[in-house]
Structure formats: structure tokens, C-alpha cells
Amino acid sequence: MRTLLVALLLAVSAPVLADSLMPAAKYANEQLPDRAQEARAKALMETIRCLVCQGQSIADSDAEMAGDMRALIRTRIEAGEKPEAIRRWLIDRYGDWVSYKPPLDGLTWPLYALPVVFLAFGLWIVSRRLKRRRKI
């Protein structure tokens, strides 16, 4: 019983131990002084997926890694790097999945084609059912 209680406490406390004790990076939660640069950084951050949350952009995520990615983007924008170069670097480092706009290639074409296929299949089913009703 005691072992089970210790295991349960460790399982419950594991998420608490996942955060680091280091302070957040300078631009993780702080905007750039130049409004034009911040606008470019914000636009890019909204198109990059949080690797921890997976359903949010790094602009919306409170995850520590998202904060690090925001700081990285803002630092590079402040240094004069173009947003598309930063996007390319992030995709090269983390893969196409990090972007909400995956490129159309041999691996991702089903993402673009399957909705059209499903829609056509649904329309075909509806048209067949309507034809059956007309016959009756």
C-alpha cells in the first residue's frame, strides 16, 4: 500500500518537476521596442506551432519552450533577419510540422487532397440517396 501511495504521489507531481527554474528569456514575454519589428515577429509567431502544446501557436502558448521560441524570433528580427529566413531555419530544425502552412510535396499532398476527396465522396452519397428517393 505504501509503495502504491508513493508511486501515485510521484505520478501526480511529475508535471511540477517538468518546468525549469531558470528565468524566462528576455523577449519571451516582452515586446520589441520597434512596433514594425514586433508586428513582423508577431505575424511569424502566429504561424509557428508550439511543440509542447501542439494545438496552439507559440504566440498563444504559455509553455516554456514557446517562450524560448518567441524570444528567438524577436531577437533575430531585432538583428535584422527576415521572417521567412527565420521560418526556414525553424522548419529545418524542427521539421515541417512546426509550421501551420506545410509545403505541398510528396509527403504532405494528402493533407490538401483528402478534404476534396471526402467532399466528393459525401456529395456522391447524397446524390445517390436523392436518386433513390425520387424513384420511390
Side-chain angles (χ1 to χ4, degrees):
M1 183 68 175
R2 188 176 198 184
T3 306
L4 181 63
L5 181 61
V6 170
L8 181 65
L9 287 174
L10 285 175
V12 171
S13 64
V16 172
L17 301 174
D19 276 341
S20 76
L21 300 175
M22 296 183 66
K26 179 180 179 188
Y27 287 126
N29 301 311
E30 179 182 324
Q31 293 186 353
L32 291 169
D34 183 344
R35 287 181 181 230
Q37 287 180 334
E38 179 61 29
R40 287 193 302 273
K42 182 77 171 167
L44 177 58
M45 287 185 277
E46 289 174 353
T47 65
I48 302 295
R49 184 186 316 267
C50 176
L51 299 173
V52 177
C53 305
Q54 299 180 0
Q56 291 181 304
S57 69
I58 62 171
D60 300 328
S61 175
D62 290 331
E64 190 173 345
M65 185 167 191
D68 291 342
M69 291 173 83
R70 285 191 304 268
L72 178 126
I73 288 172
R74 284 180 173 133
T75 302
R76 286 180 164 210
I77 295 263
E78 187 178 44
E81 199 169 336
K82 301 285 183 211
E84 195 52 44
I86 300 168
R87 168 193 293 291
R88 184 79 254 149
W89 182 84
L90 288 168
I91 290 172
D92 289 344
R93 182 172 177 119
Y94 298 110
D96 288 330
W97 191 83
V98 76
S99 174
Y100 278 121
K101 299 177 186 176
L104 181 58
D105 60 14
L107 189 60
T108 60
W109 71 265
L111 293 173
Y112 294 97
L114 282 177
V116 175
V117 170
F118 287 141
L119 181 63
F121 183 67
L123 290 172
W124 179 74
I125 289 174
V126 169
S127 69
R128 288 193 46 131
R129 289 197 177 187
L130 289 175
K131 285 179 184 178
R132 281 187 193 161
R133 281 192 178 169
R134 286 183 189 156
K135 287 181 182 178
I136 297 177

